[in-house]
Amino acid sequence: MTRRGRSVTLMVHRDGDLSSRSVRLPLWLVRVLTVTSVVLFVAIVVGAAIYAPIVRTAARVPGLNREMTRLQRENSQVTELAAALEQMEARYEQVRAMMGGDLVPTRARSYDVPIARVLQARAPGAGRRYETGVSVPSHWPLEEPGIVTRGTVADAGPGEPHSGLDIAVPIGSPIRASGGGTVTSAGRDVEYGLFVMLEHLDGYRSMYGHASRILVQVGDTIFAGSVIALSGSTGRSTAPHLHFEIIYEGRSIDPLSLVQEGT
């Protein structure tokens, strides 16, 4: 490379050739190319120094997202477990109260659902006799001891109406037909869960709700005392119990007006 005046000459000679080639560049162009090269080199170095941490951070983002998703899922599970534990504790207190752990009634408040009375439902004696054929519902629907936690509350009564008896009894207890009749309905209801409806003599019907298993089908003819279902806590229920209801000519009546065995 040689300089002539205000220009720079670049000479290119290939090995073995007898002649050389030369390129003359203005000095100002050489300076511009030199400065540009330096600027580009510095820009590349600075860009690499700045961009490298960004690349490392971006590479960590998928892992951070997965970790956040896992933590959110675990937090949701902890929340669900806490709610389930709280619900189980509330149900335990209800069962404890229903089974006689706390028989002293608290002062009723205006918005409480009224409880007609709390009574011990005794299992009938071994000498009980059932009628054959179709009959009026007059027998206690359980053979296990239980507690009537809620009685019949008429539509015109204070608080929420209640059309039958709620009898606390362990899950899986046999539910017996209160009278002989025909199964007119059996299945699942939002309110009463698994239920069985029987039609009896003289306009009487009986209903058994919150069962865990149904043992009869629609159309079956049932004698009094036949096991038609097993008790449970299906439907709108906070603890295992049987909802026992008697309907006369389309209107719910107090089952204790007909059934005296268990009281």
Side-chain angles (χ1 to χ4, degrees), residues 5-263:
R6 304 294 296 177
S7 64
V8 176
T9 301
L10 299 176
M11 299 188 66
V12 180
H13 179 77
R14 187 190 310 180
D15 292 343
D17 289 348
L18 298 177
S19 61
S20 300
R21 302 176 65 181
S22 62
V23 178
R24 181 177 296 177
L25 299 176
L27 183 60
W28 65 268
L29 180 59
V30 174
R31 291 175 178 174
V32 169
L33 292 176
T34 303
V35 173
T36 302
S37 300
V38 172
V39 171
L40 288 176
F41 177 76
V42 173
I44 292 173
V45 172
V46 173
I50 295 176
Y51 188 66
I54 297 177
V55 172
R56 290 195 296 269
T57 302
R60 295 175 55 191
V61 168
L64 294 174
N65 288 338
R66 289 193 296 269
E67 184 68 15
M68 182 176 297
T69 301
R70 184 182 67 81
L71 292 175
Q72 290 175 344
R73 184 170 58 251
E74 292 180 354
N75 182 66
S76 177
Q77 292 174 349
V78 170
T79 302
E80 291 177 359
L81 289 174
L85 179 60
E86 183 178 353
Q87 187 177 16
M88 289 177 63
E89 290 178 350
R91 290 189 177 184
Y92 168 77
E93 292 299 329
Q94 291 175 343
V95 173
R96 179 174 177 270
M98 287 190 294
M99 298 307 294
D102 184 11
L103 295 178
V104 179
T106 57
R107 184 182 299 274
R109 294 168 292 186
S110 60
Y111 55 86
D112 282 340
V113 176
I115 297 177
R117 56 177 172 145
V118 176
L119 57 89
Q120 179 71 28
R122 299 183 303 276
R128 172 178 53 179
R129 293 183 178 180
Y130 292 108
E131 303 85 5
T132 59
V134 182
S135 60
V136 173
S138 59
H139 297 280
W140 193 250
L142 296 164
E143 59 186 28
E144 295 283 342
I147 295 177
V148 176
T149 60
R150 192 178 182 194
T152 303
V153 178
D155 293 345
E160 180 182 347
H162 189 247
S163 55
L165 299 180
D166 284 350
I167 309 168
V169 67
I171 292 179
S173 300
I175 300 173
R176 296 185 179 273
S178 180
T182 302
V183 180
T184 58
S185 183
R188 183 178 294 275
D189 179 79
V190 174
E191 180 77 15
Y192 295 110
L194 295 178
F195 75 98
V196 176
M197 177 78 74
L198 301 180
E199 185 172 352
H200 306 280
L201 282 176
D202 303 329
Y204 285 98
R205 290 186 297 162
S206 60
M207 196 273 281
Y208 313 80
H210 304 301
S212 61
R213 185 176 181 183
I214 298 174
L215 304 178
V216 294
Q217 297 180 351
V218 174
D220 288 350
T221 299
I222 304 299
F223 291 165
S226 300
V227 178
I228 58 176
L230 301 179
S231 64
S233 186
T234 56
R236 198 180 74 169
S237 172
T238 57
H241 72 284
L242 166 66
H243 176 85
F244 175 47
E245 183 175 345
I246 294 180
I247 302 100
Y248 176 64
E249 294 184 348
R251 183 175 60 89
S252 296
I253 64 174
D254 186 356
L256 296 180
S257 63
L258 293 177
V259 179
Q260 301 296 323
E261 287 178 340
T263 59

